Amino acid sequence: METQPIVSNRLTSLFSTGKKNILNVYFTAGFPALDDTLRILRSLEKSGVDLVEIGIPFSDPLADGPTIQESNMVALGQGMTLKLLLEQLREIRKEISLPILLMGYLNPVMQYGVEEFCDQLGSIGIDGLILPDLPLDEYKAFYKNAFERNHLSNVFLVTPQTSEARIREIDQESTGFIYVVSTDSTTGNAKDISGAAPYFERIRAMQLQHPALIGFNVKDHSSFSFACQYAQGAIVGSAFIRMLQASKNLESDIETFVRSLRTGQ
Amino acid sequence: MNFNVNEKGYYGNFGGAYIPEMLHPNVEELRNHYLEIIHDPAFQAEFQDLLRDYVGRPTPLYLAKRLSEKYNTTIYLKREDLNHTGAHKINNTIGQILVAKRLNKHRIIAETGAGQHGVATATACALMGLECIVYMGEVDMERQKPNVERMRMLGATVVPARSGSKTLKDATNEAIRDWINNPVDTHYIIGSVVGPHPYPDMVARFQSVISEEVKKQLKAKTGSELPTHVIACVGGGSNAAGAFYHFLDHKEVRLIAAEAAGLGVTSGYSAATTVLGKPGIIHGSKTLLMQTEDGQIVEPHSISAGLDYPGIGPIHAHLFETGRAEFMAITDKEAFQSAVLLSRLEGIIPALESAHAISALDHLDLKKEDVVVLNLSGRGDKDLQTYINRKSEFMND
């Protein structure tokens, strides 16, 4: 019998420390400017975020609200592609030690070749890949090996409508964290997450094997702190993109944004 | 060779349900219940009554004598244009609204390109007293104003899709986003054989009434229920799926799918997916779609808003890959000229979509003894403005 390969990377190390109030920041590759990817990563690391998700731009981001849609269109318009993103990230581990995940829709990755893509991410030192429209069954049947041999964590989403049995199955297959979608919502919606406490408590009471991070509509200190009461941390995306969009000085604005999320000041 | 969907939702290499988790419970609910609902005798009784007395079925199978003379063969038109609301789309919306009621959904959303599916959905919602929200690209709202007003008169809310190219693909994106945001009380009535499983199969079943009737009608008229050819246009492909459905396993029947070539397949302004597309994921389904090398979905072009879609239903990708159906790319100009031809020869003004199917006649080497069934999926009232505006451009030679 084949032994189960263990996924071990910067992300799993982070969670193994038992750290609380984990801040995960999402941004779109190639936005606001085509070559801002590294600049933003440097600032995020300096500002003390715990991990980052880099969004792979797609022409038709179904699960995203207007803010991330717009950042995708801008990035694509500036010439961002999957190949270019890999080039930008090629030397990343010479200077950045943060756990890094890529997140995107399946089609661009499928055109590149899912296995080949996983191998590339492994060689660069990326720690995980989130493909929300990759079906769980398909992952298990075709891609699990490619993720595991490259020590890539996979991350699946659960929502307020996901059944307990399915959450258990997802937990079983996860090798990173459980992405707890805060509300029935696309990203960057105005829905308030404070009504989601019973759902967050239900997830917590399930005592899953993997840590949970709460994302979607986490946008400021108040929603971040609220989410952190129920999970190991939270993910901020659209609010960060909106800040980048308006920023005149990326470095100082990122520092201010992260401080404000953490402390409310 | 099997042309029906398998239990996992695939037609050969195509289909499936490539959806984010937010859509999973709704799609799963539908998948678990749609067959049981559709097979329920009470459902069938209600559905068949409405198709007969409200939609006006069966639609005639009309022997088009003058068109037959021109092509020196025998051509029957399946008159889906005579359905209530003017196209085949209502076969599906009546079926799905009855499914939605049985799933206790009271809010209905839909996408529309030309507005035909939007009007058919708004009509079904008015009939059942359900709230109706239709997403329509801002560009399409401008070029299909009468259908926007029809939907509003029927009580629907028409929401402009302002993302992307502001056409059908983007309207579909917005409808899917609405469903993500309203997963409990809402049913999404997809208008074609596209989207995650079970939509392609469910829509094909509701449209299969077309070929079911053709078989009976042809038997009565010719003594044989099998034609030599069935021709239909394909955007997403719901009318073609319905017209082909009961002939799929009859290998002797040639199935002809007319795609929109736009200005020509190599022009950069085309919607000929089987020529220009590669396997990929669009709107929750693995199928052929027009995309860049980087996997970004490409904007299509067709004179007909209903064929202006960068993918095709997974059943059609499978029929193409297996060679069971023959695909032909018809240009804007050919379709326009065929619309005029049918108007003059038979006194029937077809929809621009259906006009693509008529043009396929020019590409087939038809024999005298052939019996061709051409699915006339919709009427041309909605295209009158295009027919007026572009006449000099297309009819001057």
Side-chain angles (χ1 to χ4, degrees), chain A residues 59-61 138 166 189 191, chain B residues 21 169 173 177 181 296:
Chain A
S59 54
D60 295 77
E138 194 136 327
R166 188 165 166 85
N189 197 292
K191 284 181 184 173
Chain B
E21 188 61 30
K169 168 175 83 76
N173 291 343
R177 289 179 185 127
N181 284 286
Q296 310 298 336

